[in-house]
Amino acid sequence: MILTPKEKEKKKKYVEILRDAFTFDERSGVVDMRYEVIDMPDVYEENVKVFFEGGGLRRVNVTGDSCQGMYIDIGRAVYG
């Protein structure tokens, strides 16, 4: 599934909203989140990198997820 630039921008902005929500919650331990797209001829992936206090990092594969699906997947990665 290849996204249009408009769809990529929408998902990027949504991740910024989620980042603000998760960093506001002190229990999450989240300090930053970044949306990235790997778009090569033989590989297409959408990932969200979640950075935690103390230097932890989790990559969440959100390829093809709706905004609701992204919220669920990222929430599971953050809270278990």
Side-chain angles (χ1 to χ4, degrees):
M1 177 179 151
I2 305 296
L3 297 176
T4 66
K6 185 177 180 180
E7 292 170 322
K8 288 178 188 176
E9 186 62 28
K10 176 184 173 186
K11 286 189 171 186
K12 180 181 176 192
K13 286 183 181 185
Y14 185 70
V15 169
E16 291 171 359
I17 292 168
L18 289 179
R19 179 198 62 213
D20 293 344
F22 281 106
T23 56
F24 182 76
D25 181 9
E26 295 174 359
R27 298 172 299 151
S28 72
V30 173
V31 294
D32 198 10
M33 274 187 207
R34 296 186 193 142
Y35 175 73
E36 65 178 21
V37 177
I38 301 168
D39 192 0
M40 300 178 354
D42 57 340
V43 177
Y44 181 82
E45 282 186 12
E46 297 172 77
N47 294 297
V48 175
K49 290 182 179 178
V50 183
F51 299 89
F52 293 93
E53 295 172 0
L57 167 67
R58 286 203 180 150
R59 288 187 180 159
V60 182
N61 186 327
V62 295
T63 304
D65 282 4
S66 64
C67 289
Q68 179 182 4
M70 291 172 69
Y71 175 76
I72 291 168
D73 289 344
I74 294 168
R76 284 183 183 146
V78 170
Y79 296 112

